[in-house]
Amino acid sequence: MGVLNAEPFRAALADSAAQAIARLERRLERERAARLEAEAIAEAGLRRAFLAQQRIELLERVAAKANEATDTADALRFAVRAICTATGWAFGNVYLLDPAARDQLIPAHAWHADDPHGLAPFIEASLGRGFAAGEGLPGRVLASGAPAWLPELAADTNFPRRAVAEAVGLASAFAFPIRVQDEVSGVLEFFARAVLAEDEAMLAAMAQIGTQLGRVIERERFAAKLLHDALHDPLTGLPNRALFNDRVTLALDRRARRGAGEVAVLFLDLDGFKLVNDSFGHQAGDALLQAIAARLRQALDALPGDGWPAWTLARLGGDEFTIVLDDFDAPARATEVAEQLLAALAGPYRLTGGEVHANASIGVAFAQTPGVTAVDLLRKADTALYEAKARGRGQVALFDKALRKRALARLQTENDLRQALARDEFRLLYQPIVDMKTNRVSGFEALLRWRRGGGEVVGPGQFIGVAEETGMIVAIGNWVLREACAAAAGWNRAFAAPPISISINVAPRQFLLPGFAEIVHAVLRDTGIAPGLVTLEITESTAIASPDRAIETMRALRGLGVKISLDDFGTGYSSLGHLHRYPFSSLKLDRSFVQDLCDPRERVAPGIVRAVLDLAQTMKLTVVAEGIETSCQRRQLREMGCQFAQGFLFAQPLSLEAASALIARHR
């Protein structure tokens, strides 16, 4: 038996083992590579998750700040600092849209830098200029409305700060818009020292931050609009009363601190503005007010600088404008300014429907005493305005000592008048109205008198104007209505036929008050007077002040059986062509036409009286002539066909008792 050779076997075994080891090593290498890849994938996933979480937290912090912020600058500074801190970018900065140029960005001075000293040249270059749409990184975002990423600043040809960025070691940048609805209202830009490729996830997160910051801007704009609307007149855009009072107060405070200088308030009111509204409509009236506001502003803008006052123009309402003049030393400047304003308003205005001219009156008041307030100055200027209007159209009046004395007297009258009804200080006198055919008393006109303080008797001319301005005329007028109707009811119960009528003057404010007819109806019921014996007298100005309401009220009164008389006919503003619109029963011929009837040199008055009587006959209106003082006047009127008259020729105004005695004599 031969010996087995083991070498080939060992060689084969060794080769097989080597192959197995090689296969094992390759497998181990594949497993190691797979493990490394898995670890790399896991690490990248964790990093992405970490970055995503960071961005979510960043967005939440910025959103929370945006929701609580009341100041845009504060929210922007917080956002820039938070983004730089979270992302590690070296510098962040904000530009906002220029309010004066919607295609221009200007620095918001909201920035953050990790090394302010080292980045100082770039910070200075960024804060020292703006960018037009399309220019540089911010302008690119403004023009496109989309984020922009510059991975290499050195390679970008549309980056004006490239040299200074390279000098301080900035290599990459990105920017994104702040959006308010569809508008780009600002741009945030950020810079890094490393060359960084575009990160879409970061840009998406930044877009959401831009939306959040846009809400802060939108909220601030809305608040600013609310504040502006609260302090400005919606028609003209001028400051309103509240803002004007504040500006006057500031001017007075500055004057007090300086211890010198003048402060003046000008109160301007248009003459005859209501006629524009009545003739052309309220839209034309509004257009006129806007044009007047523009002219006033232009005239004030044109004032020379040196020695002339600073100013604020305001509209208080209606056709009233006010101006405060501040920081000037020559009091005459205020009058000069007022004259220039009147001159500026003098030219014609083109309105729908025609051309109109606007005149105005101006009252001027100076701050002359310590402690004077804005309300004091405005009241004094208003008093001066009344004086200017009393002098005629287009006048300027200063509040001086004489006006102050009259103002104090008026204030005292107002204070006393408020207590007059409660103190039973009013009295009625009765002037007879005589039938010209029979020469007998047919009725009386009730005339109001005020026994002021129980002593001095004051005529209506001294207090009716104050009563109308303060609104007290309504209570006083209602008292007169009730008292006069009660007196007439008493006469008609006490004396036999023919019946005695009563005429009662009604103020415009009282007559146009809603529900006036109901007040009259209640008085008729309570006093028992027959409605046909009551004549309410109104002036032409009352009738045309609010024509539709006046006609409605007159018709309601006529429905009660009450008569309406047009007082002082011929002295007001209404035209004869409009007279037929109003349901009048009679006309009162003003004494100014009667007094010249017997003057041989006077040729116009008789013709006017005859024309009025003819007109009244045509319209089936009764005529009562006022102010008869002579037998000649009575004869002339009787010959012309005038039915009724009153005046001193027949009797002066009488007390209730004296009027009753007169009726008894005539019966």
Side-chain angles (χ1 to χ4, degrees), residues 23 33 59 83 121 176 181 218 265 269 275 315 339 342 351 394 398 444 481 496 518 523 553 587 614 654:
R23 286 196 301 274
L59 179 60
I83 293 171
F176 61 91
Q181 297 178 4
E218 186 174 23
V265 166
D269 184 83
L275 189 60
R315 178 181 177 235
E339 297 287 359
L342 292 182
L351 301 177
L398 300 180
F444 290 87
L481 179 66
E518 286 78 6
V523 170
T553 301
L587 303 178
D614 290 344
L654 306 170

Side-chain angles (χ1 to χ4, degrees), residues 441-444 487-489 491-492 495-502 529-530 532-534 663 666-667:
V441 175
S442 66
F444 290 87
W491 292 327
N492 284 287
F495 299 103
I500 303 297
S501 65
I502 187 72
I529 183 74
L533 298 178
V534 177
I663 296 171
H666 276 245
R667 290 292 181 270

Side-chain angles (χ1 to χ4, degrees), residues 5 61 80 89 117 324 458 498 517-518 525 534 538 633 640 645:
N5 187 357
R61 290 201 304 275
V80 172
W89 289 62
H117 179 72
V324 58
V458 181
E518 286 78 6
R525 182 191 62 228
V534 177
I538 65 171
Q633 291 169 347
M640 291 181 184

Side-chain angles (χ1 to χ4, degrees), residues 256-272:
R257 289 194 301 271
R258 292 192 304 260
E262 297 286 350
V263 173
V265 166
L266 280 59
F267 203 131
L268 182 149
D269 184 83
L270 301 180
D271 298 322

Side-chain angles (χ1 to χ4, degrees), residues 274 278 282 508-509 511-514 538-554 581-582:
K274 188 178 183 306
D278 292 343
H282 288 283
R509 193 162 185 169
F511 187 80
L512 297 174
L513 189 73
I538 65 171
T539 61
E540 294 183 58
S541 58
T542 302
I544 68 169
S546 182
D548 293 339
R549 178 177 288 183
I551 291 171
E552 180 183 351
T553 301
M554 292 169 74
R581 295 181 57 201
Y582 300 94

Side-chain angles (χ1 to χ4, degrees), residues 6 16 29 141 168 238 318 323 383 459 474 560 570 588 634 637 656:
S16 176
E29 184 62 31
V141 175
V168 298
L238 295 176
I323 303 98
T383 302
V474 174
L560 296 175
K588 294 288 287 288
R634 177 179 60 183
L637 287 166
L656 179 62

